[in-house]
Amino acid sequence: MNAEIISVGTELLLGHTVNTDTTIVARALSDLGINLLYACTVGDNEGRLKLALEQALQRSDLVITTGGLGPTKDDLTKEVAASFFGKKLVFHEQTYEHVRKKLESYGINEMTESQKKQALVPEGSLVVTNPAGLAPGIIMAQGDKAIVMLPGPPKEMKAVLAECCHLFINRL
């Protein structure tokens, strides 16, 4: 099996944040015996992310994205991945409750619309709760192609990486 990593975030592209996610994911793929062919970084831009995803899925069976799953307008990974597979975003009750409870633990008792956005996931996807943050891990597949979406912050990404890999491997 061949894989690629797409790290999403303008802060990574411009060098404002060091991209440690690629190293961590690359090691995990190697440990699983999955060939890593390419890794790239894309800013928070819908068109460029769509192009990167299209190219990656032409070359590889599995694309792992990191970042772009948060509540802001420029967090576009779920939307772009869902549209690529012709899926719409749907409300995921378990994620909504997780986000609500996590925010309450921070002393925030009302969710904004942008915070509610994190409970939207591509229809038919597998969702992995993020014990270290809000944005879940998401696995979606169509035919012999799969996209695994992980949160960008390294602590959160690591918290869902193992479970996403386990679920993906068991799906094969």
Side-chain angles (χ1 to χ4, degrees):
M1 172 173 291
N2 295 323
E4 299 195 26
I5 301 168
I6 300 175
S7 300
V8 181
T10 301
E11 71 281 3
L12 301 171
L13 192 60
L14 299 179
H16 296 287
T17 300
V18 176
N19 183 359
T20 59
D21 288 355
T22 297
T23 302
I24 295 164
V25 173
R27 286 181 185 154
L29 292 173
S30 178
D31 290 346
L32 293 168
I34 296 173
N35 302 315
L36 179 61
L37 301 183
Y38 294 90
C40 73
T41 303
V42 177
D44 297 306
N45 177 279
E46 184 176 358
R48 288 190 288 272
L49 177 54
K50 187 174 183 175
L51 179 61
L53 195 55
E54 182 179 317
Q55 291 172 341
L57 286 168
Q58 287 173 358
R59 297 183 293 233
S60 298
D61 313 300
L62 168 65
V63 176
I64 297 181
T65 67
T66 63
L69 300 179
T72 63
K73 288 191 308 186
D74 66 349
D75 289 318
L76 301 167
T77 303
K78 290 186 295 192
E79 292 84 346
V80 171
S83 70
F84 195 85
F85 281 166
K87 304 290 185 182
K88 60 183 179 179
L89 294 182
V90 296
F91 179 76
H92 189 256
E93 181 69 36
Q94 183 180 346
T95 299
Y96 177 83
E97 284 303 315
H98 171 75
V99 171
R100 186 184 62 73
K101 288 177 184 174
K102 197 72 129 167
L103 290 172
E104 282 179 359
S105 76
Y106 302 150
I108 301 169
N109 294 316
E110 282 197 45
M111 288 176 63
T112 65
E113 287 304 311
S114 64
Q115 291 163 330
K116 291 176 186 175
K117 174 185 174 192
Q118 293 179 108
L120 297 175
V121 301
E123 63 183 339
S125 60
L126 293 172
V127 180
V128 176
T129 301
N130 179 351
L134 301 175
I138 301 168
I139 303 168
M140 58 185 303
Q142 186 166 306
D144 61 349
K145 303 291 184 176
I147 302 171
V148 174
M149 294 170 263
L150 304 172
K155 179 180 175 184
E156 295 184 35
M157 188 274 301
K158 286 187 237 178
V160 297
L161 175 63
E163 183 64 16
C164 283
C165 287
H166 171 76
L167 288 172
F168 176 75
I169 294 299
N170 285 336
R171 183 193 154 278
L172 297 176

